[in-house]
Amino acid sequence: MSDSKPITPVILSGGSGTRLWPMSRPERPKQLLSLTAEETMLQLTVRRASGERFTDPIIVANAFHAELVEEQLGGVGIGLKALILEPIGRNTAPAIALAAMAAGGGSEPILVMPSDHVISDVAAFHAAIDLALPLVNEGWLVTFGITPDTPETGYGWIKIGEEELAPGVHRVDRFVEKPPRDRAEAMLASGDHAWNGGIFLFRADMYLGTLSVFAPEMLVAAQQAMDKARREGSRIFPDAESFAACPSDSIDYAVMEKAPRVAVVPVAMGWSDVGSWDALHAISNPDAGGNVVRGDVVAIEATNCLVQSEPGKRVALVGVQDLIVVVSGADVLVLPRGRSQEVKKLIDAMKD
């Protein structure tokens, strides 16, 4: 691959990760936490796209998190090509437009990744990138379809087209909304569907060109926000007024579902979006009793529990099973395993 341009990682770090309350909070969302390893999720994401074939990353983040993001990249010895600090959230399509412009807006490939996902098989991910690159260089927009192992209703799905464009790369037949359970079971059984993991590879100019056709107002607003941006070192502050005028839309709706040349590389790479405490339990290595514990935890005759406690807080469990217990600051969360998606209800109740 020495003949192609280096890939610019674009890492989207705007999410708030509310489903991992009380550890994940607006001031320190889940991508800035050490949940799955000693390093934070952002640090792990940056690391898996570093080395000679990649440039320094462009990170799109909330302005409140600028110092934390810089500190965490410094902690793993990786520089920043740019840190784009959004004045307001406008979903993924405009965020990626800002990044494509910061990358140069030309034929350089950009690898778009959420900052808060886990990929345990990085070699498989890099192999999938290698399969995609020749088509990317020809102008295709490529998404990586996660090989599914459960009938997941919380993800969008991708129907993989029969037409193989290159070894391991297929045309996308269609994108499927988050499905009801029976539909998800049918797609899993069919073997020709993948989860939409929100990871993309395409040339910056091809992405911006597609926006100009299918979402021209978005492109204009993003371009104005960058033209009038304030810059401080690697920090870019897009103009707030221009960006506020930008329509809010996801890359899936604005671009991928409409563009004519969209391909998918199906890949099994140990991916998880760690979207809940249950998901964290599922991807962690439990002890002999099936417990996943982090922090100062004493567990006697406890089985299949997830316990997370921050430094200085001790948690003791006796004779319980299938519980999630999380202690952070002045807050304690206790709920049965299998119901961690309901943390959203709690947050709504606390707002009221």
Side-chain angles (χ1 to χ4, degrees), residues 72-92:
Q72 293 197 359
L73 263 75
V76 289
I78 290 173
L80 269 165
K81 185 163 181 163
L83 175 56
I84 301 173
L85 297 164
E86 291 183 298
I88 180 172
R90 277 290 175 260
N91 213 322
T92 52

Side-chain angles (χ1 to χ4, degrees), residues 13-15 26-29 31-32 42 46 58-75 78-80 82-87 230-238:
S13 182
E27 64 274 16
R28 192 181 277 260
Q31 62 269 26
L32 301 175
L42 174 65
V46 166
I58 294 173
I59 296 183
V60 186
N62 183 313
F64 292 120
H65 304 139
E67 279 160 27
L68 273 171
V69 168
E70 287 171 346
E71 194 181 292
Q72 293 197 359
L73 263 75
I78 290 173
L80 269 165
L83 175 56
I84 301 173
L85 297 164
E86 291 183 298
R230 183 165 58 83
R231 287 172 164 79
E232 290 172 15
S234 61
R235 293 185 185 185
I236 299 174
F237 297 85

Side-chain angles (χ1 to χ4, degrees), residues 14-38:
S16 55
T18 51
R19 290 175 297 175
L20 292 177
W21 184 87
M23 291 237 163
S24 178
R25 300 166 183 269
E27 64 274 16
R28 192 181 277 260
K30 86 176 195 203
Q31 62 269 26
L32 301 175
L33 298 173
S34 309
L35 286 171
T36 60
E38 292 308 306

Side-chain angles (χ1 to χ4, degrees), residues 1-247:
M1 289 299 160
S2 55
D3 56 336
S4 37
K5 296 187 175 186
I7 298 167
T8 298
V10 168
I11 297 168
L12 305 178
S13 182
S16 55
T18 51
R19 290 175 297 175
L20 292 177
W21 184 87
M23 291 237 163
S24 178
R25 300 166 183 269
E27 64 274 16
R28 192 181 277 260
K30 86 176 195 203
Q31 62 269 26
L32 301 175
L33 298 173
S34 309
L35 286 171
T36 60
E38 292 308 306
E39 293 181 344
T40 69
M41 302 188 80
L42 174 65
Q43 288 172 323
L44 294 167
T45 304
V46 166
R47 257 194 205 286
R48 76 176 68 109
S50 61
E52 58 191 36
R53 51 190 313 200
F54 298 99
T55 71
D56 283 342
I58 294 173
I59 296 183
V60 186
N62 183 313
F64 292 120
H65 304 139
E67 279 160 27
L68 273 171
V69 168
E70 287 171 346
E71 194 181 292
Q72 293 197 359
L73 263 75
V76 289
I78 290 173
L80 269 165
K81 185 163 181 163
L83 175 56
I84 301 173
L85 297 164
E86 291 183 298
I88 180 172
R90 277 290 175 260
N91 213 322
T92 52
I96 296 164
L98 299 176
M101 292 167 194
S107 61
E108 49 283 303
I110 59 176
L111 174 66
V112 178
M113 297 178 286
S115 59
D116 57 357
H117 292 181
V118 165
I119 293 174
S120 58
D121 188 348
V122 175
F125 181 37
H126 286 186
I129 290 170
D130 286 335
L131 291 176
L133 264 176
L135 280 161
V136 167
N137 290 330
E138 287 173 24
W140 285 75
L141 308 178
V142 176
T143 181
F144 296 92
I146 312 300
T147 306
D149 50 21
T150 55
E152 185 58 60
T153 58
Y155 305 146
W157 292 59
I158 297 165
K159 180 157 197 247
I160 300 162
E162 285 181 23
E163 184 188 350
E164 193 172 48
L165 302 163
V169 190
H170 291 254
R171 189 185 278 275
V172 168
D173 186 300
R174 66 175 175 273
F175 289 87
V176 182
E177 288 285 308
K178 293 178 183 177
R181 180 83 190 190
D182 56 339
R183 178 94 196 272
E185 285 171 354
M187 288 190 291
L188 179 65
S190 73
D192 60 358
H193 284 75
W195 292 335
N196 182 354
I199 302 171
F200 307 97
L201 183 65
F202 36 65
R203 284 166 40 171
D205 56 0
M206 289 297 158
Y207 179 73
L208 295 172
T210 307
L211 272 187
S212 72
V213 176
F214 297 107
E217 315 79 24
M218 185 183 290
L219 182 66
V220 168
Q223 188 68 63
Q224 286 177 344
M226 288 297 272
D227 289 345
K228 299 181 189 172
R230 183 165 58 83
R231 287 172 164 79
E232 290 172 15
S234 61
R235 293 185 185 185
I236 299 174
F237 297 85
D239 179 63
E241 196 179 332
S242 305
F243 199 59
C246 186

